[in-house]
Amino acid sequence: MYAPEEIVEIAIKNGANKTKKTLIAKCLLGFIGGAMISLGYLAYIRVSAPIPSNFSGLGTLLGSAIFPIGLIVILLAGGELITGNMMAVTIAFYDHRISYQKLVGNWVLITITNMIGAIFVAYFFGYFVGLTHTDVFREQVIKIAQHKLNTSFSQAFISGIGCNWFVGLALWLCYGAKDAAGKILSIWFPVMIFVAIGFQHSVANCFVIPAAIFEGEATWKAFVLNFIPVYLGNIVGGAVLVSGFYYLSYSAKNATTKDNKIQIRELH
């Protein structure tokens, strides 16, 4: 693993590079990001739904262990995910490597394309193919979606914070790992934990709630009312609790000792 001071510089560089991609690359990678997270969620449903209710804890554990494949694909093969960008692009903004306009522009574009990718998977792979449209799988989708929709604004907001604290940490640790195996493990466990706990991820919700809408068990208005607080919570989790706290703690501009400053300068 790289040291935390090194991870700060890696995250800043990666965050700045995300804003330099072409428009077509951002759109395609944003679509991939939304689709991959949704396919991970689809796998969660397919694994956990058939398990009897008296073993629901086992179903949650197994589903949570499957879900991280989406973020692993995004970070190792390529993709853009807004919850990750809330950490990486923001830390580049903190370091004045990008402007506020580029930060907001990246967030808006990746959010929209993530949503398109997630809803695409919900309709075509879930509803149309029938993977969330039959038997226990339909019941599981509706149950999960209704649970998310029945939370209050403040509950959804706090849940969103917890989710992206872990997702941001997964990204942070991935940047710190020096080989593929280390990156996979660094992503796997934080993501698995947030799913097992039941925290809400705005892009994942763009899959499961529309999947319930296609089944006639939810509405687009309810989806929007859920998305807003979860998204705001995700911002706090990624942009404040991860990139904000670690930037203040480990960036070269905030290093407190002469030795640390010398060591960090040597990284350049």
Side-chain angles (χ1 to χ4, degrees):
M1 292 289 292
Y2 290 105
E5 293 84 358
E6 295 174 285
I7 300 175
V8 168
E9 294 301 320
I10 294 169
I12 290 170
K13 180 180 178 181
N14 288 343
N17 287 341
K18 288 177 179 293
T19 67
K20 297 175 183 178
K21 292 182 173 72
T22 64
L23 178 62
I24 185 65
K26 290 176 184 175
C27 289
L28 292 174
L29 293 173
F31 177 85
I32 289 171
M36 288 299 108
I37 288 297
S38 300
L39 288 169
Y41 212 156
L42 179 58
Y44 172 101
I45 291 168
R46 297 291 297 184
V47 167
S48 63
I51 295 176
S53 58
N54 53 326
F55 293 103
S56 59
L58 176 61
T60 299
L61 176 63
L62 294 176
S64 300
I66 294 295
F67 183 92
I69 187 63
L71 189 58
I72 290 170
V73 171
I74 291 168
L75 292 178
L76 270 64
E80 292 287 327
L81 184 67
I82 184 56
T83 47
N85 286 17
M86 287 171 180
M87 188 284 280
V89 180
T90 304
I91 200 169
F93 170 72
Y94 290 153
D95 203 58
H96 307 291
R97 304 287 182 93
I98 62 170
S99 66
Y100 177 75
Q101 289 76 16
K102 285 189 175 182
L103 171 71
V104 174
N106 179 271
W107 281 11
V108 170
L109 181 61
I110 300 305
T111 299
I112 292 171
T113 51
N114 281 175
M115 293 177 73
I116 293 171
I119 295 171
F120 174 89
V121 171
Y123 182 78
F124 287 102
F125 293 118
Y127 180 79
F128 184 78
V129 174
L131 297 178
T132 59
H133 185 51
T134 57
D135 305 325
V136 294
F137 306 110
R138 181 179 186 275
E139 296 174 10
Q140 181 81 327
V141 165
I142 294 169
K143 178 182 176 181
I144 293 172
Q146 290 297 334
H147 176 74
K148 294 178 182 297
L149 294 174
N150 288 335
T151 58
S152 67
F153 186 100
S154 58
Q155 289 173 327
F157 174 73
I158 297 299
S159 182
I161 293 174
C163 164
N164 218 27
W165 198 349
F166 278 108
V167 174
L169 286 171
L171 197 65
W172 182 270
L173 293 172
C174 176
Y175 289 164
K178 294 184 177 182
D179 56 35
K183 291 181 182 296
I184 290 171
L185 291 174
S186 296
I187 298 164
W188 205 298
F189 289 103
V191 174
M192 178 179 172
I193 291 301
F194 103 71
V195 177
I197 291 172
F199 289 145
Q200 297 203 46
H201 187 282
S202 54
V203 179
N205 286 8
C206 289
F207 163 76
V208 72
I209 298 176
I213 292 172
F214 298 139
E215 299 297 337
E217 298 294 335
T219 66
W220 289 107
K221 179 181 178 181
F223 164 68
V224 172
L225 292 177
N226 170 269
F227 181 83
I228 292 171
V230 172
Y231 189 86
L232 293 175
N234 287 167
I235 291 175
V236 175
V240 178
L241 296 183
V242 181
S243 62
F245 283 9
Y246 286 150
Y247 182 77
L248 289 174
S249 300
Y250 292 118
S251 72
K253 294 179 181 179
N254 295 302
T256 58
T257 69
K258 183 178 179 180
D259 290 342
N260 280 345
K261 291 180 180 179
I262 292 172
Q263 181 182 4
I264 293 168
R265 281 199 297 269
E266 289 174 350
L267 297 175
H268 297 284

